[in-house]
Amino acid sequence: MTRRYLVTYSPVHPSFRIPEIISISQSYGFQDTWSIPYPRIANEDDGETVTARTGLTYEDDIQKHGSVDTSRPFMVITLEKEEHAKVLAERCILIKSIHELWAIGPTYAEIHEQVKSSEMQSLWKPHQERSFKFIVTAANHTIPFKRQAEVMKGFDYMKFLNINVKNPEVTLNVYEEYVYDYEKTKKRKTEGDGEFIQVYFGRLIAEGTARKLITAFDVKKRAYYGNTSMEAEMSLLMANQAKAAPGKFVYDPFAGTGSMLYTSAHFGAMVFGSDIDGRQMRGKDETSLGVLRSAAQYGVQQRVVGCCTFDVTHHPFRRGGLFDAIVTDPPYGVRAGAKRLGSGRVGKELRTEPQVLEDGVLAHLKPTYRPPTRPYEISDLAKDLIELGRWLLRPGGRVVYFLPTVSDEYQEVDIPTCEGMRLVGNSLQDFGKWGRRLITMEKVGDVEVELQPRFEDRAWQKRVRETTTKKEEDNSRDDMIDEHVPAHRDFRVKYFQSFRKEGE
């Protein structure tokens, strides 16, 4: 029998909430038994609910069964077991708390009527003799102490008598929800908050303990980090999207200082990282690998299989189906740009023989050696990453990565895909004129291992054509090659031009 549960959320990253719940429910095997009946976007409530049934597409999961309003700090879900609620509280980074919901309504009269019903009495009467405390609070509003006491007194008929504020066995919560007032900062305190919406009442099941991990993995407290290290909250969300767990093998092809490796390993996965610039993983301390120092700090060093220096477009893998997830934050040019092996000058070929230095040592054996590289266009990188995932992942494996987008230009067709991979998550972290989308692609069925990524350097090919052909000819050729130009094409250039359009 399913029961209703109230989920309270941190106000940040609302579009990440449903994909995270779907991923965690799939990881723990209760994806077919939960739903979200409330809240729904106005005028779109068709009586259905959002579910996470296996085999449905991203559109099925998120759109076909109704539109959930994730802008509000509360969500009502139905679950078969209380243990499932505790699992969500322990793993979902964005959840603040989960409560067994006893009543929901626009007035306290309706709340009391629901609580007094025989169905609800069967839920709360078994807790009457236990020690308890009562909390009355609100979202987007401050409730005076006097009115808090009045609200509590209104529930005297429940006859909970054994008060224990410090260490209660049961915590009863009343939440009042108010409309978030964007103009609040311009108002005087006497003008009040936003409009009242409704009240929720229930019993606390679990606090969102996973949120404590944000502090535990804080980059500033890390033994080794760099200026491109992913913030803790996002790296934890990415690990959840990847369904990191014991028995899983996770790979980061742009490992850098290892942020994604630590969080995936914390949830029990074995991890492996690579980067074209080994100095990012090593650090300046020659006595120990920087990534391993931080891994030891978090107690996950034994789960780091290794870190290798190589260009992912010239990877050493000789077979596919190795990993359960690829989790990465590819560099897209804001703090650092992506690179791939090759000469940065058109017409100049790389040497075919190793370079020998004056002391007779091969250049590439020096610890400070840096191979010749050229820019790796983000639109090429994103497409290559999906094809790499199709080859390297086991069936059901996921590619989780951030894709930068220009807010005014983004279209859904910008997200690269390929046969054998389906979109299961697309969440936006909005920065105004631009944002980055957490994209989750999943491998479906058994894809032939011969379908290795081609790593076509389309941006470089275009540059070569521009220097060797007339511009008119080049434009006609490029139109034939590119049917659609994604908003993230030339993102670095657009970023440093402040996303100005032509003529501005």
Side-chain angles (χ1 to χ4, degrees):
M1 177 181 175
T2 60
R3 292 182 181 177
R4 295 183 305 170
Y5 292 85
L6 175 68
V7 182
T8 68
Y9 272 104
S10 165
V12 297
H13 315 309
S15 66
F16 291 71
R17 296 173 183 174
I18 296 176
E20 184 181 39
I21 289 184
I22 290 174
S23 298
I24 299 305
S25 66
Q26 289 175 344
S27 296
Y28 287 85
F30 59 93
Q31 68 272 16
D32 295 325
T33 62
W34 70 273
S35 64
I36 306 175
Y38 183 86
R40 305 288 294 281
I41 294 176
N43 300 323
E44 294 193 19
D45 190 343
D46 55 6
E48 297 181 6
T49 57
V50 171
T51 62
R53 291 174 290 183
T54 305
L56 296 180
T57 66
Y58 171 72
E59 290 76 12
D60 287 331
D61 278 338
I62 305 300
Q63 297 171 351
K64 182 178 179 181
H65 295 276
S67 298
V68 175
D69 185 358
T70 57
S71 66
R72 293 162 64 175
F74 302 105
M75 184 181 294
V76 177
I77 66 175
T78 61
L79 297 167
E80 278 193 345
K81 299 179 180 179
E82 186 173 306
E83 289 74 17
H84 295 165
K86 294 178 179 178
V87 166
L88 293 177
E90 291 172 1
R91 274 296 299 261
C92 291
I93 307 303
L94 299 177
I95 289 178
K96 293 175 65 177
S97 61
I98 296 185
H99 310 255
E100 183 180 61
L101 184 61
W102 292 344
I104 175 175
T107 66
Y108 276 99
E110 291 190 28
I111 292 294
H112 294 310
E113 183 179 351
Q114 293 175 40
V115 173
K116 292 176 181 178
S117 69
S118 58
E119 180 183 358
M120 288 301 110
Q121 287 191 45
S122 66
L123 295 181
W124 59 260
K125 277 198 171 183
H127 304 287
Q128 276 182 315
E129 304 300 322
R130 304 173 69 188
S131 62
F132 81 102
K133 73 174 178 179
F134 208 120
I135 298 175
V136 179
T137 188
N140 309 319
H141 179 72
T142 300
I143 304 177
F145 288 115
K146 182 178 179 180
R147 201 169 74 76
Q148 290 183 35
E150 293 173 353
V151 171
M152 294 180 196
K153 187 172 180 61
F155 290 89
D156 282 350
Y157 59 84
M158 297 179 70
K159 300 187 184 305
F160 278 74
L161 302 176
N162 187 12
I163 299 175
N164 187 335
V165 176
K166 292 185 178 180
N167 189 27
E169 296 175 279
V170 178
T171 300
L172 306 180
N173 293 85
V174 168
Y175 287 102
E176 293 185 2
E177 183 181 8
Y178 290 76
V179 174
Y180 179 72
D181 190 350
Y182 293 94
E183 300 296 325
K184 183 177 178 181
T185 56
K186 301 178 183 179
K187 289 183 176 182
R188 298 177 181 177
K189 291 184 178 180
T190 55
E191 293 184 72
D193 294 324
E195 181 182 353
F196 171 78
I197 301 176
Q198 62 187 0
V199 184
Y200 306 86
F201 176 56
R203 173 177 66 93
L204 176 67
I205 299 298
E207 299 282 358
T209 54
R211 288 199 61 77
K212 297 178 181 179
L213 295 175
I214 298 174
T215 302
F217 284 91
D218 186 358
V219 173
K220 295 180 180 179
K221 300 177 182 178
R222 192 170 295 169
Y224 173 67
Y225 65 92
N227 67 336
T228 60
S229 296
M230 173 64 71
E231 61 267 31
E233 187 171 31
M234 282 301 165
S235 60
L236 289 162
L237 283 169
M238 294 175 77
N240 274 346
Q241 280 299 97
K243 301 196 284 190
K248 298 292 185 71
F249 194 10
V250 176
Y251 170 45
D252 184 354
F254 302 94
T257 57
S259 294
M260 262 59 74
L261 302 181
Y262 313 135
T263 53
S264 296
H266 171 79
F267 290 126
M270 303 299 290
V271 297
F272 173 72
S274 69
D275 202 291
I276 192 172
D277 188 350
R279 298 173 302 171
Q280 290 284 328
M281 298 180 290
R282 290 193 298 269
K284 295 182 179 180
D285 187 350
E286 298 182 359
T287 61
S288 64
L289 188 67
V291 168
L292 292 183
R293 290 204 306 274
S294 290
Q297 174 186 351
Y298 298 128
V300 297
Q301 186 173 1
Q302 298 303 314
R303 295 177 186 155
V304 180
V305 175
C307 294
C308 294
T309 301
F310 60 79
D311 174 13
V312 70
T313 67
H314 294 75
H315 61 77
F317 302 118
R318 292 297 174 262
R319 55 155 290 182
L322 294 173
F323 302 103
D324 297 288
I326 294 176
V327 186
T328 191
D329 179 34
Y332 40 82
V334 175
R335 287 176 289 184
K339 302 287 185 181
R340 62 186 294 167
L341 291 179
S343 171
R345 293 171 56 186
V346 176
K348 181 180 180 182
E349 300 294 332
L350 295 179
R351 64 171 68 242
T352 57
E353 298 294 329
Q355 181 182 6
V356 181
L357 303 178
E358 294 181 359
D359 56 4
V361 178
L362 296 177
H364 64 274
L365 296 181
K366 288 279 190 178
T368 56
Y369 174 73
R370 295 182 62 189
T373 60
R374 61 176 179 240
Y376 195 177
E377 163 58 39
I378 184 64
S379 57
D380 289 338
L381 186 156
K383 185 174 180 60
D384 292 343
L385 187 60
I386 303 306
E387 292 184 354
L388 180 69
R390 177 177 62 180
W391 185 59
L392 283 181
L393 293 175
R394 300 186 180 103
R398 290 185 165 189
V399 176
V400 182
Y401 71 103
F402 268 114
L403 181 71
T405 59
V406 181
S407 299
D408 292 340
E409 301 176 13
Y410 167 76
Q411 301 177 52
E412 290 186 6
V413 293
D414 288 350
I415 302 172
T417 186
C418 64
E419 184 182 357
M421 300 291 289
R422 72 180 182 109
L423 179 67
V424 295
N426 180 359
S427 304
L428 173 65
Q429 186 179 16
D430 192 358
F431 299 121
K433 291 185 177 180
W434 73 284
R436 57 181 184 179
R437 292 182 174 271
L438 183 60
I439 305 299
T440 306
M441 304 291 295
E442 187 172 87
K443 182 175 178 178
V444 293
D446 293 320
V447 180
E448 295 294 332
V449 295
E450 289 78 12
L451 293 175
Q452 298 187 28
R454 293 167 293 179
F455 296 114
E456 294 178 331
D457 199 344
R458 293 156 62 90
W460 181 255
Q461 294 169 9
K462 179 180 177 182
R463 181 177 172 185
V464 171
R465 292 197 306 272
E466 287 176 343
T467 58
T468 56
T469 66
K470 293 181 180 180
K471 187 150 188 177
E472 306 85 65
E473 297 176 359
D474 178 67
N475 286 338
S476 63
R477 292 184 185 184
D478 197 49
D479 289 341
M480 290 168 32
I481 295 174
D482 291 324
E483 295 181 359
H484 171 72
V485 178
H488 52 273
R489 172 76 61 83
D490 299 323
F491 181 82
R492 178 181 174 85
V493 175
K494 294 176 181 178
Y495 179 86
F496 287 105
Q497 289 178 350
S498 300
F499 305 102
R500 289 190 296 268
K501 299 183 184 299
E502 291 186 13
E504 291 183 350

